[in-house]
Amino acid sequence: MKLTSSIRQLQDAVSKVAQAIPAKTMDPRFENVHLSIESGTLTLFATDGELSITARSDVDTSDSGNIGIKARTLQDFLRSMYDTSVTFDIERQEISDHGTVHIKTDKGRYKIPCQFESKQEKYEKIYDISLELATEELQDLIQKTIFACSVDGMRPAMMGVLFELEGSVITAVSTDGHRLVRCRKSSSTDIAEKQKIVVPARVLSIIQKLAQYETVTMSIDSERRFVRFISGNIVLDAALIVEPYPNYDAVIPVEHDKYMIVDRSLIYDSVKRVGRFSSIGDVKIVIEGEVLKILAENTNEGEAAQEELPCTYNGEPITIGFNSRFIEAALAHLDENEIRIELKSPTTAVIFKPHKEEEDDKLIILVMPVRINN
């Protein structure tokens, strides 16, 4: 078998599918990039057993066949090369499934081992729900939720993002038990019956990198166990998290009687500076009148910091403590200049959201306070 392409074209396709390859595996099936050659087309495929990525690339060939090459070997070769025309001449050993790929460029000759494979028979799942999303909207949805996913393997449902599909609205939710994000977007597809799926954070992280075309098609199988994303010539299939997601609605307070409006960049920069002076990473926030105070101290080192900012506040004076990293992350994922912070008591969850009325319900970030020493 022989095929001709360019280094850059192959490098792009291999780098995309190789994101499905696990960092460490004892199973050799998951170490390879699988190449399926048909007239004029090269299909590349890689999987870790739960997530798989397929990419197609046009090549110059009239042959057909299927081989597997170690992903790391192929990637290392392609990364080290400059962009030029390259020819793969694949030779099979006698009475064996093993073979050699003879590689020819304008300046060199190389060879790497390969394994001949039978054509992969893929079980075609029935995807009964499919919706088309603008790539920019999907990227924003992922970016605003993925940071709050849990990394605790004992709580697998919270290691992903919950997608609720109902009518023409997509609601994405993530939480790690200390903070919660709910983000809503409009969809062009009308889903009659409410659907809930939990997509692993790793899958969303990969689709963020792969989605480079204007739209992404997201499909869900009939048993609600798999999801498929299609972007251009890239197809990503992945297993969903099947554990039930916590009832997040019960966590969102509905009776906040205090709110503050403040400049997002001012409070973000202030928390970032003051938080560095805390021995445990917590900051104390005191709101009184139209003044917001942010304080922290490290008693072991004799360090302390305090800053005052202007704000608009409508309630009784309140003192409340937060993990500074959680506040920084919440503020970093709000895009508007002015934000609204809703509070009730020093022990009740606090809601961060855009101040614009039309954005009120589209994005909320909830952060749990921490106990502070007076």
Side-chain angles (χ1 to χ4, degrees), residues 32 149 167 212 238 281:
N32 289 349
C149 289
Q212 297 174 350

Side-chain angles (χ1 to χ4, degrees), residues 162-232:
L162 170 69
F163 282 79
E164 290 183 338
L165 314 175
E166 186 174 22
S168 59
V169 176
I170 301 174
T171 301
V173 179
S174 63
T175 182
D176 60 5
H178 302 287
R179 53 196 171 167
L180 181 147
V181 183
R182 188 190 69 195
C183 185
R184 287 179 174 152
K185 296 280 186 184
S186 297
S187 163
S188 58
T189 306
D190 193 0
I191 308 291
E193 187 178 343
K194 188 173 185 177
Q195 303 292 330
K196 293 184 179 183
I197 61 169
V198 184
V199 184
R202 179 184 173 228
V203 173
L204 295 174
S205 178
I206 291 174
I207 200 63
Q208 268 189 305
K209 301 171 188 171
L210 296 181
Q212 297 174 350
Y213 294 83
E214 287 186 4
T215 60
V216 176
T217 301
M218 176 181 176
S219 304
I220 309 163
D221 80 312
S222 56
E223 296 181 352
R224 307 298 180 262
R225 290 181 173 271
F226 294 91
V227 66
R228 168 175 286 179
F229 293 95
I230 301 176
S231 176

